[in-house]
Amino acid sequence: MAVVPPQSLRVGEIKDPMVLFERFNTEEIRGLERKIRCEIEQKKEELRQMVGERYRDLIDAADTISEMRECSESVVHSVQDMHRYCQKIKQGKSDTQMNSKEEIQRQSQDRFYSMASQIKLLLEIPERIWSSMEASQYLQATQLYLLCCHLHSQLHLEAGGPHHSPVLARFPILIRQMAAAGHFRSTILLDSKWLLRSRAVSDQAMAEALVSTMLLEDSSPRQALADFLLAKKASVHQLLNQPQHVAGIKAQVCSLMELLVTTLYQAYAVFYVSPDGSRRQGEEGLSCGLLFSTLENVTSTLPAGKGRRVLQDEVSTGSWFKYLPSSISEFQPALRTLAQPIQREHLRDTLQQWIDTCKEDIRNGVSSLLVYVTSLKGLAAIRDAVWDLLSTDSISQHWNTVSQRLLGNPLAIWEDFLQQLFLQRLQAIIQEGTEAICCSSKQLLSCSLRELEGHPTSPAATSSSFSSSPGPVPGPSLSQGAHYEADVASFLWSEAQGDLPSDAAWVTVSQRWQQQQRSGLAMKTQALTPSVQSFCSVLNGKLSACLDDLQHYLPTKDTAPDTFSTTSSSSVSSSFNRFTDTVAVEETLREHSQACIHHILTCVRSELAKATAVSPPHSTGLTSVLFMARLCQSMGELCPNLRHCILGKLAEADLASRGTPRELRKLGKAKAVEVSPARALWASLKEELLACSMVAYRIWSSALSTVLVKRFALSLHAESAGAILTTATNWEELEIEEEAESGSRVTSKIRLPVQPSWFVQSLLFQLCLEVNRVGSHALPRPNLLELLQVCLDQLLNQYHTLTHPVQAKKTSFPMTQNRALQSLFDLRYLVATLGVRQEEGKSSRTHTDPRIQQICDLLETHIDPFDLDVFTLPLNKNLSRLSQRTSVLLGLLTSTEKQFVSCGNSGVSQEANNILPVASCQIRFGMLPLSMSNSSKAKFSLRSSGQSHQLAPSTNTPASNDTFSPGTLFRQLAKQEEEPAATSLFKLGWLSGMAK
């Protein structure tokens, strides 16, 4: 079977479309599709032409039937006249004498002049019709066309008619004139309907075009209203389907709104008829009922003298027009049916139905146009252009009156047609923007983490990440940002050009806060590394671009008064309030900004979960964890635009309140401030960020405590005497006096520990270094307390393993009294240093871990009870003195809640003239010669004298059961710690954190 080429394939030959895909390729099928579509359009056009021609044939048939009826009536009358004439002849009556020859000639001349004038007018009418159409005077062209048709009937020029006149034989040019006049009707109708679709047309011209259509089609005012609304709907579709290169989106939207407003104004001017027929005060610029007044002027249904005849001006000039018969000179078009005014209910229902139909088309079209608007600035420009258009006096002056009379209620164009579309597009633009910010932030976070993990530290630095070295040594491939993330202390003590701003000397802190400028030193005080600053700067910049774009859509200080004036005068002005959806816009930005931060937090949590799955975590993994912890901790502060996105206008109010004097802010504190939903959302978001930061810090603290306690356990559970002696420290030798049985004084020497074991000191010092390395001064207090608590719990587990008889190994070194005494001293020192700080007014005993008491009791069982009673007070004194001496070195691990007074001799007097009384407690600066108040001196003297008196008679006084019971030393120390300590003026805990 031969394959037919696609160019010669006919539509009727296509039986199965699947065969086409088997025979031809894609390009041939597409060409065949274009060919078929062209044939379809051609058939549609032929169908339209056929329907139009049949419609004209139907009208011609109706006219022919009407003419046949008139012809039949004339035949009947003629037969009757002939019958009467024959009757007269039968009666024998003779004819009267013929008229005189002059009378016959005069009548013949009048008939000739009448015929000639009609022929001349018939020849001139086409030229006049074309002139009227060129001047867009379609009503006058319609009148001339109807006059031409009337002349045809008067001269009996219809071909094949019963009263065919020999005029056509004498004047052949009339045959061509008749053919030319036949096209005037369709041309006038086409141009009149084209005029209805135009936007810049006066009300009178619109009314004349409608009257022309009514006269040519013999239609009613209701049909004219339908034609008018159909033409306006076609104009709406034409504007919506206009190519983008012809006019911009703003021009298209404004043209649509102008067309909608103009349609209602013209409907009022053309079709609305006032019930009382008079205009009210203030409506001088409004006209109504132009359609019916124009009909009254051109139709012949009114009494003579009120209508305007077609040839009124020509007949008045005289000349040959005076020979025209009265049926021609006084000709006026007429409608077959009486043109009744349109009822108000029908007019309202028809206009409302048209508005509802156009509303859907306009919404669909404008929504498809707004897709090409990709910025809020462009969207605001379109909205402002519509507002300017609807605020003009020509539109807003009588808008409420016109819409109220036509529709029964005022029509809000912006609210009903465009507001929801603009709000939806705005939400889509904000969503796209925040999603782009979210994706870029995720990519930036991944790149930052890869940079931190892709440049690992050197082997020496990796092995010493938890060692006693001051900090990790950056490897050759370690970038500066990764080095600063691993060791924040090196970043804090490095100098940079931007540490102090250039205007630091004359710009105050409040002004700098309002300008959102932060110096490098301010960043260092919060331990914000360059990587964190870079991430937050990028995020803040993108949010700033989003906010700057949004500001074009929101009211400003200049437009705020305009907003209130517009809303207050809404009763007299049709202009809308551009900023009614400000709350919805801010809520949209708030929701999408919150979703963006939630996505970032989800990504951070997934990275933290990956870091938790690695056991034990390596140093680069912990560097990434610390980076995410600092990032979540500082995102709310380093991204002020995020706060603006959440709070909206409240953020500007808060920023302004920060610049107010302190006295005014104190006066405002007395008023109860109601928490808005935006503030609650911002507080919730900050809590989520802080919670994620604490989770990251918890991962770091868990890994840190695990490594340090593991090394601590190796030394604690030493199984040889040499290993134990290696970690031992020097003991203090004391002389005590005891009373013998004979009553004499016996002096003896005892040795007590004054320092913790080396592995205890190494543990605390390494812990202090690691905390200082991550930025101790900016580390959240709950995380630090949690770190200390975790370390203390793990240390208690190790001591419990050491002292528990079931878990103790049989091959381990036996617990001697000296080892037990040193272990007891180490444990109490660790508890005093790492113990969780309690709130003021609460006792620490209620929260003491019961395992501490149990371990102390087990360790004291290895000490002689009589020696324990003697060692208790000196051991307490050594422990207190040790805590005071190490409070500066281990300031990160201690706090001002646990302070130790100076152990100097109360009897030593100092000169009062050269001492500056600064504080009553010198916990941080124990070596400074600071004086104490009299009450503190007296209290300290009493405590010291009491201790010295209790030390001597300890062997002679009968000891109570509590004195010899296990745990006496710990209970006395706990009792001493519960005494209120003097408040220090030096609360600068971060100074003591500079261990490096």
Side-chain angles (χ1 to χ4, degrees):
M1 179 177 178
V3 179
V4 181
Q7 293 79 7
S8 60
L9 186 63
R10 298 181 179 179
V11 179
E13 297 176 359
I14 301 175
K15 302 299 182 180
D16 188 4
M18 297 303 296
V19 178
L20 297 178
F21 290 92
E22 295 175 0
R23 294 183 180 179
F24 307 107
N25 54 24
T26 305
E27 295 296 329
E28 293 176 347
I29 292 177
R30 289 179 177 173
L32 184 60
E33 180 189 1
R34 290 192 293 269
K35 177 183 176 183
I36 294 174
R37 290 187 181 276
C38 292
E39 292 180 2
I40 291 174
E41 295 297 328
Q42 184 178 1
K43 294 299 181 181
K44 287 183 179 180
E45 184 64 25
E46 293 176 359
L47 181 61
R48 295 191 191 98
Q49 295 178 1
M50 183 182 68
V51 171
E53 293 175 357
R54 296 304 179 188
Y55 184 72
R56 289 193 296 269
D57 295 340
L58 179 62
I59 295 176
D60 293 339
D63 295 337
T64 303
I65 293 172
S66 177
E67 292 173 359
M68 290 174 64
R69 183 185 62 184
E70 295 176 356
C71 182
S72 300
E73 291 176 355
S74 64
V75 169
V76 172
H77 290 301
S78 298
V79 171
Q80 292 177 355
D81 293 338
M82 291 174 64
H83 179 71
R84 287 194 296 271
Y85 183 72
C86 292
Q87 291 293 334
K88 290 180 180 179
I89 293 176
K90 289 180 181 181
Q91 291 176 2
K93 294 182 179 179
S94 62
D95 294 330
T96 59
Q97 188 178 0
M98 297 296 293
N99 294 330
S100 63
K101 185 176 181 180
E102 294 78 6
E103 183 69 20
I104 295 174
Q105 292 179 353
R106 184 182 62 80
Q107 291 180 356
S108 176
Q109 187 178 9
D110 290 342
R111 288 195 298 270
F112 175 76
Y113 285 156
S114 175
M115 180 69 68
S117 62
Q118 294 182 43
I119 294 174
K120 181 176 178 57
L121 179 61
L122 186 62
L123 294 175
E124 291 183 357
I125 281 179
E127 183 179 356
R128 295 192 178 192
I129 291 177
W130 286 118
S131 299
S132 299
M133 292 183 63
E134 289 178 358
S136 299
Q137 298 176 357
Y138 300 109
L139 180 58
Q140 185 177 357
T142 302
Q143 291 176 311
L144 291 174
Y145 170 74
L146 295 177
L147 176 60
C148 181
C149 295
H150 183 66
L151 281 173
H152 285 179
S153 62
Q154 290 292 326
L155 295 176
H156 307 287
L157 299 181
E158 291 81 0
H163 301 283
H164 180 65
S165 160
V167 177
L168 292 178
R170 297 180 181 179
F171 300 96
I173 194 174
L174 295 179
I175 300 176
R176 186 177 300 176
Q177 291 295 108
M178 291 177 57
H183 300 286
F184 282 132
R185 182 178 182 277
S186 59
T187 305
I188 296 174
L189 280 176
L190 184 62
D191 291 350
S192 298
K193 292 185 177 180
W194 176 85
L195 183 67
L196 296 178
R197 299 176 59 177
S198 302
R199 298 193 299 271
V201 179
S202 63
D203 298 340
Q204 183 62 37
M206 188 68 64
E208 290 180 359
L210 289 172
V211 171
S212 299
T213 306
M214 293 176 63
L215 293 175
L216 292 177
E217 295 182 347
D218 197 16
S219 57
S220 62
R222 291 192 176 186
Q223 183 62 35
L225 175 62
D227 294 339
F228 171 75
L229 296 180
L230 285 176
K232 294 301 180 181
K233 186 177 181 180
S235 299
V236 170
H237 287 285
Q238 181 181 3
L239 285 175
L240 291 176
N241 298 326
Q242 192 174 10
Q244 294 293 330
H245 65 275
V246 177
I249 298 176
K250 180 170 66 175
Q252 285 184 266
V253 175
C254 292
S255 298
L256 282 172
M257 296 302 102
E258 184 180 8
L259 176 61
L260 183 63
V261 173
T262 305
T263 300
L264 290 183
Y265 268 111
Q266 289 181 348
Y268 179 84
V270 174
F271 297 99
Y272 183 80
V273 177
S274 179
D276 51 1
S278 60
R279 297 181 182 179
R280 299 179 183 178
Q281 186 177 2
E283 298 179 1
E284 290 77 7
L286 283 178
S287 57
C288 60
L290 292 178
L291 178 69
F292 304 99
S293 61
T294 305
L295 277 174
E296 290 178 0
N297 292 331
V298 300
T299 56
S300 58
T301 56
L302 299 176
K306 292 187 178 181
R308 179 177 178 83
R309 297 183 295 273
V310 180
L311 300 177
Q312 182 175 354
D313 297 335
E314 288 79 358
V315 173
S316 61
T317 59
S319 175
W320 56 272
F321 290 98
K322 62 182 179 180
Y323 296 105
L324 292 173
S326 60
S327 61
I328 302 300
S329 61
E330 296 180 359
F331 173 78
Q332 282 184 318
L335 288 174
R336 294 183 180 180
T337 58
L338 183 62
Q340 295 290 343
I342 302 175
Q343 297 181 358
R344 299 180 62 182
E345 292 77 9
H346 178 76
L347 180 62
R348 180 180 65 249
D349 296 340
T350 306
L351 289 176
Q352 188 63 49
Q353 184 179 2
W354 179 83
I355 289 175
D356 295 338
T357 305
C358 291
K359 185 183 297 184
E360 296 298 326
D361 297 338
I362 291 176
R363 285 180 176 178
N364 296 332
V366 173
S367 61
S368 62
L369 290 176
L370 294 181
V371 173
Y372 300 100
V373 181
T374 58
S375 66
L376 298 180
K377 181 179 180 180
L379 200 65
I382 298 175
R383 180 202 60 186
D384 295 341
V386 174
W387 184 82
D388 293 336
L389 173 66
L390 298 181
S391 300
T392 56
D393 295 337
S394 59
I395 293 178
S396 62
Q397 185 177 4
H398 303 291
W399 175 251
N400 288 342
T401 302
V402 171
S403 58
Q404 179 70 35
R405 292 180 180 178
L406 289 179
L407 304 175
N409 52 1
L411 178 62
I413 296 181
W414 171 257
E415 288 78 1
D416 294 345
F417 286 84
L418 300 179
Q419 182 179 10
Q420 192 63 29
L421 300 179
F422 275 67
L423 185 59
Q424 291 175 359
R425 182 55 189 162
L426 179 139
Q427 293 173 351
I429 293 176
I430 293 178
Q431 183 178 1
E432 293 172 0
T434 52
E435 287 178 354
I437 293 174
C438 179
C439 294
S440 60
S441 300
K442 287 183 179 180
Q443 295 177 359
L444 182 59
L445 179 62
S446 301
C447 293
S448 301
L449 295 179
R450 284 196 302 268
E451 181 182 358
L452 295 176
E453 297 177 357
H455 298 80
T457 56
S458 60
T462 304
S463 60
S464 62
S465 59
F466 295 116
S467 62
S468 59
S469 61
V473 179
S477 62
L478 183 64
S479 64
Q480 188 177 15
H483 171 58
Y484 285 159
E485 289 295 333
D487 189 4
V488 180
S490 61
F491 167 67
L492 297 179
W493 292 106
S494 63
E495 294 184 0
Q497 185 177 2
D499 285 347
L500 283 179
S502 58
D503 55 354
W506 56 82
V507 178
T508 62
V509 178
S510 59
Q511 293 176 352
R512 196 177 305 281
W513 183 269
Q514 293 178 359
Q515 297 175 359
Q516 297 181 0
Q517 298 178 357
R518 308 186 72 177
S519 62
L521 286 180
M523 297 295 183
K524 291 180 179 181
T525 55
Q526 297 181 2
L528 301 178
T529 57
S531 300
V532 176
Q533 296 179 32
S534 176
F535 184 94
C536 294
S537 176
V538 172
L539 178 59
N540 188 60
K542 294 181 178 180
L543 291 175
S544 176
C546 182
L547 283 174
D548 292 342
D549 192 18
L550 185 63
Q551 292 305 317
H552 295 91
Y553 204 86
L554 296 178
T556 59
K557 294 181 180 179
D558 299 333
T559 58
D562 180 34
T563 303
F564 296 109
S565 63
T566 301
T567 55
S568 61
S569 61
S570 60
S571 59
V572 296
S573 176
S574 65
S575 179
F576 58 92
N577 184 3
R578 292 178 286 177
F579 309 111
T580 53
D581 49 0
T582 300
V583 177
V585 172
E586 293 182 349
E587 184 65 26
T588 301
L589 179 63
R590 186 178 299 117
E591 293 177 359
H592 291 292
S593 301
Q594 182 187 12
C596 178
I597 299 302
H598 283 168
H599 287 305
I600 296 177
L601 285 178
T602 302
C603 185
V604 171
R605 292 189 182 100
S606 63
E607 295 293 337
L608 292 177
K610 294 178 183 179
T612 308
V614 179
S615 181
H618 48 81
S619 58
T620 56
L622 289 180
T623 302
S624 302
V625 170
L626 290 173
F627 165 74
M628 290 184 283
R630 298 187 190 101
L631 179 63
C632 295
Q633 183 183 2
S634 59
M635 191 179 296
E637 293 294 333
L638 294 186
C639 299
N641 290 317
L642 175 61
R643 188 168 180 269
H644 281 275
C645 291
I646 301 298
L647 295 181
K649 295 182 180 179
L650 297 178
E652 299 179 359
D654 294 346
L655 188 61
S657 64
R658 291 190 178 187
T660 57
R662 185 176 299 178
E663 292 77 7
L664 297 179
R665 282 184 284 173
K666 288 183 178 180
L667 293 176
K669 288 182 180 180
K671 300 180 181 180
V673 180
E674 183 180 357
V675 180
S676 62
R679 295 182 186 275
L681 179 61
W682 174 243
S684 174
L685 193 60
K686 289 197 298 184
E687 290 179 359
E688 293 182 16
L689 290 171
L690 183 59
C692 188
S693 174
M694 295 185 69
V695 169
Y697 276 122
R698 191 174 295 114
I699 296 174
W700 164 78
S701 61
S702 176
L704 176 62
S705 60
T706 302
V707 174
L708 294 180
V709 174
K710 183 178 180 181
R711 297 182 180 180
F712 175 86
L714 295 177
S715 301
L716 179 64
H717 299 290
E719 299 179 357
S720 62
I724 295 176
L725 291 177
T726 303
T727 59
T729 55
N730 189 21
W731 285 28
E732 183 183 17
E733 184 176 326
L734 298 177
E735 293 184 358
I736 59 173
E737 294 182 356
E738 297 179 343
E739 187 176 355
E741 296 179 358
S742 60
S744 60
R745 294 282 182 175
V746 178
T747 302
S748 60
K749 294 183 179 181
I750 60 173
R751 299 178 64 84
L752 293 175
V754 293
Q755 292 182 359
S757 301
W758 288 119
F759 58 86
V760 174
Q761 297 183 37
S762 177
L763 169 72
L764 295 178
F765 188 71
Q766 290 176 19
L767 183 61
C768 185
L769 285 180
E770 294 299 332
V771 173
N772 181 63
R773 188 174 297 154
V774 301
S776 56
H777 60 285
L779 188 66
R781 191 66 181 173
N783 289 107
L784 180 59
L785 296 179
E786 184 178 359
L787 172 62
L788 300 181
Q789 181 64 34
V790 170
C791 288
L792 183 59
D793 291 340
Q794 296 182 5
L795 292 175
L796 290 178
N797 292 333
Q798 298 298 329
Y799 276 102
H800 183 270
T801 304
L802 178 67
T803 57
H804 204 279
V806 178
Q807 298 180 359
K809 298 181 180 179
K810 297 181 179 180
T811 59
S812 61
F813 191 81
M815 181 65 68
T816 62
Q817 179 172 331
N818 289 341
R819 185 182 180 186
L821 193 60
Q822 182 67 50
S823 299
L824 183 62
F825 186 82
D826 294 343
L827 177 60
R828 288 171 179 166
Y829 177 64
L830 289 173
V831 172
T833 304
L834 303 178
V836 180
R837 281 60 173 157
Q838 305 298 328
E839 298 178 1
E840 296 183 0
K842 293 185 180 181
S843 175
S844 61
R845 179 175 297 178
T846 57
H847 297 275
T848 303
D849 194 339
R851 293 181 300 172
I852 300 176
Q853 183 65 39
Q854 296 175 4
I855 296 173
C856 290
D857 293 343
L858 292 175
L859 289 176
E860 289 177 359
T861 56
H862 298 280
I863 305 174
D864 185 79
F866 295 98
D867 293 340
L868 181 61
D869 183 62
V870 175
F871 296 159
T872 299
L873 292 180
L875 200 61
N876 289 343
K877 184 177 180 181
N878 293 342
L879 185 61
S880 177
R881 184 169 60 251
L882 177 65
S883 299
Q884 180 187 7
R885 289 176 178 176
T886 58
S887 60
V888 175
L889 181 62
L890 305 177
L892 292 175
L893 309 181
T894 60
S895 63
T896 57
E897 286 82 357
K898 285 192 175 183
Q899 297 178 353
F900 298 91
V901 297
S902 176
C903 298
N905 188 4
S906 62
V908 178
S909 62
Q910 297 181 355
E911 297 181 3
N913 295 330
N914 59 355
I915 297 177
L916 180 64
V918 177
S920 60
C921 177
Q922 50 268 33
I923 174 62
R924 297 300 183 193
F925 309 97
M927 301 303 293
L928 296 180
L930 299 178
S931 64
M932 297 183 297
S933 60
N934 296 331
S935 60
S936 300
K937 288 182 179 180
K939 181 176 181 181
F940 178 71
S941 300
L942 291 176
R943 182 180 300 176
S944 301
S945 61
Q947 292 178 359
S948 61
H949 288 308
Q950 291 178 6
L951 183 60
S954 60
T955 56
N956 298 330
T957 55
S960 60
N961 296 331
D962 294 337
T963 304
F964 293 96
S965 62
T968 303
L969 178 60
F970 175 76
R971 282 191 292 269
Q972 292 181 9
L973 180 60
K975 182 178 180 181
Q976 181 179 351
E977 290 180 356
E978 288 179 3
E979 296 180 0
T983 305
S984 173
L985 295 179
F986 294 93
K987 298 289 185 178
L988 303 177
W990 62 274
L991 286 175
S992 60
M994 304 304 177
K996 192 174 177 180

